[in-house]
Amino acid sequence: MRIATLANWLDDCCNPILVKELRQFLHNRAMLTVMGGLLAVQLGGIYFSLTRELTESVSLGRLFFQGDMLIFASCSGVLSFLGALRFFRERRGRGQGQDLVFTTPLSPFRLAWGKFLSAVVMELQIYALCLPFMMISYYLRGIGLMEILLISSLIFIYALLLIALGLCLGATGFRMGILVLPGFIALYLFWTCLLLDGRFFGPIFGILFWIRGAVFALWSCGFLLTVLQSMLGCSAGNRIFVMRIYLLLSAFLVAPLFYELTERVSRLSFAGGMLSLPSWETYGLYATGAIVLIAAVEPLLPSRRILIAAPGNRLLRGIYLLFSSSSVNGLTLGWICGLICVLAPFASSEEYSSQLPYAVAGTAGYLMGYAGIAIFLRRKLQRRWPRISGFSVLLTVFLVLYAIPMVYLTLYEDYIYCSMVWTPPWASWFSPLALHYQNARPGCIGALSCALTGVILNWPLLYRGWRRNFRDS
Amino acid sequence: MKLEVNELTRSFGKVMALDHVSFSIDSGCVYGFIGPNGAGKTTAMRIIATLDQPDSGDVICDGFSVLDYPERARRLIGYMPDTLPGSNDILVWEYLDFFIRCAGFRGAARRRQMAHIEEFTQLGLLRGKYLRDLSRGMKQRVSLARALVHNPRILILDEPTSGLDPRARLELRDLLRELAQNGVAILISSHILEELEGICNGVVVLERGRLLSAGPLQSLRRAEDGFIQLEVSVDGDLDGTGLYLQEHPVVVWVRHSASPGQLVLKLRGDSSTGTRLMAELIESGHRVIGFRRIDRNLEDLFMHLTAGAVQ
């Protein structure tokens, strides 16, 4: 009886999309045929290997493992592409293509997780199908058990990232999203090939490098899921809230802790390396850059619904609205985080021995400036062309201020040579490229000017937004 | 419970699919959504169902804007599209179970709701079949069941009768009547106007994205540009009576009815004008044994409203 109750409870807890997709998967003859085919190919591979003179080779196990993993990676690529394509059709579609799940009261959080988990479970099924053959490759010699587990886990984790990326690109509803996905799949396959090449486990790319890479991939997966959730959310609601919390928590808390932990565990701590404060500052400024860039594509002011939902207490209201969906509040939060990060070293007795945090602070300053300029331009352009998107404006600003100087420097100034010299050329002053030179001061001044320009241009909007935040409290 | 559509505007490129469309439907009312192909019916329905966003305007369900609070609106609205989308590799009960889960039903409540929906839409016999094996009519029935799984207070039905056999159409009509009696506001689009006339007590007429008319059928018929039609039963000289009426200043035209001994006439004015005309007819010696006012049917009304209304 208790087991039945527990089963019912679990059944209720399951994400509806996961339940439906699994049921569909089990009924889908094509999928079952593909799985059967995959199994047959692997069995055929074993038979082929064992009946030929290849048995004499000592690296047969490695060869077999590489083949198995390539099949797995290819299936993951196809799965992520099909998932993205289907989601794209459901988001855009009318008639047969549309998905009526978007008419149900299912929250964006459950929708995003449901889609992701369904794909992950299918991925797991393919992985489970490959697992016995990985073990067989161990008995065929040429590869260690730890290596098998590590490489296969890494490939699996990167496949999760690919799935999340595919869902995000599909959810945009833009054809371009689907068109660029094969590029990422090719990158994933290339990465898989690199991983399968044992030489990458040498002194340059130690095991710590790969573990950190896997953690970064998992973090990116989480970030993409928050992006997906915000894309599926109601435009009037506070759909950016989870993303901002995720960015700040991971950047200011989890990432530095993880970094320190891995440093200590691996006993790789060395004098002059990243100490706790600089690493904290570096991750924090990355998050700040992301927050302000995202703010540039949000609605300019918080919606009526967000203002109604905000708490009445002025302090709590202020904090809540900093995490609310709007350019004004995103820019404000970015500035607060940026100032905390930049000023933190002055309050600390720690001595900096690395230039990295300065470079990161400068980069964050440029990004804040870009976001500010993009918001200003969007305000002006949307008066004439209301349909112009914040993303297009931001992309244009980025191209003009970053990409064009980059191309110019590469073509005319010999970028590599210039980075050795004392003074950066004028073309780099508008971009973080200026920070790459030995004398980073012009770059830092450029970053500060850029960030301030963003604020000055948007001052009327910021003032109006702040007043509006507290007007109805 | 009220569905209010306020100044809804939606364009696709240069094509204006909806141009400041406004109407409202009260609880328990069944409104027909009519218009030629490409009039913007499906676009409007998709916006109401939160599947699309308007360029401007809003839809208010029970006081909540579907743009500001779509998740609340989704709890109130049931939407049935013109075709049952995708998901063919799934059994009927699994399909419905999915949407019942999405609506938040858990445990025993979920099973009860499933039983209720299956009974209400008479899907019990189909529950073990794959969606891919169903006929169009059966799929329509599943689609309706899906729209009803969360007991919506507003039902949006896009061409629900297409592909249904006559018996299924009658059953659907009864079902909708029952829902309306339970206080559900229903907006139903169809090209078969006779069918709508049997169910609807109001209409919304669109053409090329513009609202031509909206309101209760009765008032639309009455408000129809100061003309009425009468059917007159005459004992004796039908042609003579016809000639007399034809020459009367308020009469627009007179025709022989399909039934013997009856004339149909259109006159300028209202019911009292008609009564006075009949009194004059009797006084002038014509043997009138009965007369009644003919309400315009939906088809006439539609043709009248859409005839060159939007250029």
Side-chain angles (χ1 to χ4, degrees):
Chain A
M1 183 62 190
R2 276 184 182 170
I3 291 173
T5 316
L6 185 69
N8 281 338
W9 180 77
L10 280 174
D11 187 28
D12 281 338
C13 288
C14 275
N15 190 302
I17 296 179
L18 176 64
V19 175
K20 181 192 160 221
E21 299 274 334
L22 280 180
R23 281 173 174 164
Q24 271 187 280
F25 178 78
L26 290 175
H27 294 310
N28 191 319
R29 288 174 203 151
M31 280 305 284
L32 293 177
T33 311
V34 168
M35 299 282 274
L38 197 61
L39 205 62
V41 166
Q42 292 185 86
L43 281 170
I46 289 181
Y47 177 77
F48 180 78
S49 311
L50 295 177
T51 53
R52 303 281 162 150
E53 59 275 12
L54 284 170
T55 42
E56 298 304 315
S57 167
V58 285
S59 62
L60 180 63
R62 178 174 292 276
L63 196 68
F64 191 74
F65 174 71
Q66 284 172 340
D68 199 34
M69 276 294 97
L70 273 178
I71 291 175
F72 171 72
S74 310
C75 286
S76 302
V78 172
L79 195 72
S80 79
F81 184 73
L82 290 180
L85 196 65
R86 197 171 137 207
F87 201 34
F88 169 78
R89 283 185 65 218
E90 287 171 357
R91 291 278 286 166
R92 272 179 76 100
R94 301 179 77 148
Q96 286 291 323
Q98 72 186 331
D99 193 347
L100 292 173
V101 76
F102 298 115
T103 65
T104 67
L106 209 62
S107 68
F109 177 81
R110 297 194 84 195
L111 251 168
W113 272 96
K115 289 280 176 194
F116 180 69
L117 284 177
S118 320
V120 169
V121 169
M122 283 183 203
E123 190 73 37
L124 266 174
Q125 283 170 345
I126 300 173
Y127 189 71
L129 207 66
C130 295
L131 213 54
F133 298 93
M134 291 179 207
M135 292 302 112
I136 288 169
S137 58
Y138 169 66
Y139 288 108
L140 290 175
R141 291 174 296 164
I143 190 162
L145 197 59
M146 274 308 289
E147 202 175 350
I148 289 176
L149 285 176
L150 186 70
I151 295 177
S152 62
S153 306
L154 286 171
I155 292 173
F156 182 77
I157 287 169
Y158 290 126
L160 296 187
L161 179 59
L162 195 66
I163 287 169
L165 183 71
L167 287 176
C168 269
L169 291 174
T172 58
F174 293 122
R175 273 199 192 88
M176 189 54 81
I178 295 300
L179 292 176
V180 298
L181 187 59
F184 285 104
I185 294 171
L187 200 66
Y188 166 70
L189 290 174
F190 175 69
W191 196 242
T192 303
C193 292
L194 283 187
L195 260 173
L196 291 171
D197 186 353
R199 277 173 295 178
F200 270 81
F201 284 94
I204 304 170
F205 298 100
I207 192 157
L208 197 63
F209 170 82
W210 294 106
I211 289 176
R212 279 183 183 158
V215 172
F216 180 71
L218 286 174
W219 175 87
S220 307
C221 221
F223 177 66
L224 287 172
L225 281 175
T226 63
V227 173
L228 181 62
Q229 184 187 337
S230 66
M231 278 198 281
L232 297 177
C234 157
S235 55
N238 192 2
R239 54 184 185 174
I240 214 75
F241 183 79
V242 179
M243 198 196 296
R244 284 209 183 130
I245 294 282
Y246 183 85
L247 273 175
L248 290 184
L249 271 184
S250 57
F252 283 101
L253 204 67
V254 182
L257 277 177
F258 173 75
Y259 188 86
E260 289 299 317
L261 193 72
T262 49
E263 281 288 289
R264 282 167 205 277
V265 167
S266 63
R267 295 176 186 172
L268 284 174
S269 250
F270 49 90
M274 275 177 104
L275 297 173
S276 56
L277 186 62
S279 74
W280 180 83
E281 189 192 6
T282 305
Y283 290 116
L285 285 169
Y286 279 138
T288 302
I291 286 170
V292 290
L293 286 182
I294 294 166
V297 298
E298 288 174 44
L300 293 173
L301 295 167
S303 69
R304 195 179 40 180
R305 176 178 163 173
I306 292 173
L307 291 175
I308 290 169
N313 179 292
R314 290 179 79 84
L315 178 67
L316 292 177
R317 189 179 178 85
I319 294 170
Y320 174 83
L321 287 173
L322 280 180
F323 289 89
S324 68
S325 187
S326 70
S327 298
V328 166
N329 293 324
L331 217 53
T332 311
L333 181 68
W335 265 93
I336 291 172
C337 294
L339 284 176
I340 289 172
C341 290
V342 172
L343 295 178
F346 295 104
S348 163
S349 57
E350 262 180 70
E351 283 190 17
Y352 274 38
S353 51
S354 166
Q355 291 291 313
L356 183 64
Y358 296 108
V360 176
T363 308
Y366 277 114
L367 293 183
M368 285 160 95
Y370 288 1
I373 292 166
I375 292 169
F376 172 77
L377 287 177
R378 175 156 63 112
R379 277 166 50 212
K380 297 294 168 199
L381 292 172
Q382 279 182 343
R383 282 185 197 158
R384 184 155 184 179
W385 300 285
R387 280 170 177 255
I388 203 160
S389 74
F391 182 73
S392 328
V393 178
L394 180 66
L395 196 67
T396 311
V397 169
F398 210 79
L399 281 174
V400 170
L401 293 180
Y402 189 89
I404 293 177
M406 178 83 164
V407 173
Y408 173 81
L409 286 172
T410 310
L411 291 179
Y412 299 108
E413 300 263 354
D414 191 352
Y415 179 63
I416 303 296
Y417 168 74
C418 281
S419 64
M420 307 291 184
V421 298
W422 197 248
T423 312
W426 67 268
S428 67
W429 274 56
F430 303 105
S431 72
L433 293 171
L435 297 160
H436 292 204
Y437 293 84
Q438 281 188 16
N439 179 11
R441 188 175 294 170
C444 286
I445 294 169
L448 187 66
S449 316
C450 198
L452 282 174
T453 307
V455 173
I456 293 164
L457 288 175
N458 291 299
W459 184 253
L461 174 78
L462 289 167
Y463 182 68
R464 190 154 49 97
W466 294 329
R467 273 182 62 112
R468 190 165 178 252
N469 281 350
F470 293 100
R471 198 169 50 206
D472 304 323
S473 64
Chain B
M1 181 67 61
K2 194 173 185 179
L3 172 73
E4 289 176 65
V5 174
N6 298 329
E7 296 288 318
L8 218 53
T9 303
R10 178 76 166 103
S11 57
F12 298 101
K14 286 180 181 173
V15 179
M16 201 70 159
L18 291 171
D19 188 1
H20 296 90
V21 171
S22 301
F23 60 89
S24 68
I25 306 173
D26 281 320
S27 144
C29 290
V30 184
Y31 266 53
F33 205 16
I34 56 179
N37 289 331
K41 303 185 295 290
T42 300
T43 304
M45 286 180 148
R46 280 173 57 84
I47 291 172
I48 298 170
T50 74
L51 279 172
D52 199 0
Q53 295 246 325
D55 298 334
S56 65
D58 205 346
V59 179
I60 310 290
C61 293
D62 199 24
F64 293 111
S65 155
V66 301
L67 303 180
D68 287 347
Y69 298 94
E71 63 281 11
R72 287 195 193 181
R74 284 172 193 154
R75 292 198 177 278
L76 301 172
I77 297 171
Y79 172 61
M80 177 183 169
D82 50 353
T83 48
L84 187 68
S87 307
N88 279 326
D89 293 315
I90 195 164
L91 301 173
V92 169
W93 78 266
E94 289 174 341
Y95 184 70
L96 294 178
D97 179 67
F98 166 62
F99 285 98
I100 294 174
R101 280 170 192 265
C102 288
F105 288 94
R106 293 177 141 233
R110 195 175 75 230
R111 287 185 282 278
R112 273 200 302 276
Q113 184 65 7
M114 171 71 93
H116 166 68
I117 289 295
E118 281 181 353
E119 189 193 333
F120 189 69
T121 52
Q122 297 169 13
L123 277 173
L125 291 172
L126 300 179
R127 73 188 315 269
K129 289 198 171 188
Y130 281 105
L131 283 189
R132 61 170 176 251
D133 296 336
L134 298 183
S135 67
R136 186 170 162 81
M138 286 171 178
K139 279 188 178 173
Q140 289 291 83
R141 195 181 282 254
V142 174
S143 189
L144 179 66
R146 190 210 56 76
L148 294 173
V149 290
H150 57 298
N151 304 323
R153 306 309 299 155
I154 296 163
L155 201 52
I156 310 293
L157 309 172
D158 195 358
E159 304 278 350
T161 52
S162 65
L164 293 188
D165 58 49
R167 184 189 170 81
R169 282 182 188 188
L170 287 173
E171 282 170 3
L172 179 75
R173 188 189 294 187
D174 293 341
L175 221 118
L176 294 181
R177 278 207 187 108
E178 197 179 329
L179 285 167
Q181 276 166 11
N182 292 334
V184 178
I186 302 172
L187 181 65
I188 172 171
S189 86
S190 175
H191 288 296
I192 307 167
L193 301 181
E194 279 172 23
E195 206 170 73
L196 285 181
E197 195 156 25
I199 322 170
C200 299
N201 40 29
V203 284
V204 177
V205 188
L206 283 186
E207 188 170 75
R208 292 190 211 169
R210 284 169 67 178
L211 183 77
L212 297 184
S213 189
L217 261 180
Q218 213 62 22
S219 68
L220 284 180
R221 280 168 177 155
R222 298 241 182 260
E224 173 247 305
D225 55 18
F227 292 92
I228 62 165
Q229 285 186 37
L230 290 179
E231 189 180 70
V232 187
S233 304
V234 181
D235 183 20
D237 184 12
L238 199 65
D239 291 338
T241 309
L243 272 173
Y244 176 84
L245 287 170
Q246 189 73 68
E247 285 165 7
H248 199 281
V250 297
V251 175
V252 180
W253 50 253
V254 183
R255 283 189 208 136
H256 284 275
S257 168
S259 315
Q262 287 185 339
L263 294 168
V264 178
L265 60 130
K266 181 177 180 177
L267 55 94
R268 198 173 291 107
D270 53 14
S271 301
S272 58
T273 318
T275 318
R276 277 200 301 277
L277 177 67
M278 287 302 111
E280 278 177 36
L281 195 64
I282 293 164
E283 278 170 16
S284 62
H286 294 276
R287 299 178 67 182
V288 176
I289 56 173
F291 66 94
R292 71 177 184 93
R293 183 177 167 164
I294 307 171
D295 277 331
R296 270 186 169 188
N297 63 20
L298 198 52
E299 212 166 273
D300 291 339
L301 198 67
F302 176 70
M303 293 308 287
H304 171 74
L305 287 168
T306 57
V310 180
Q311 297 303 323

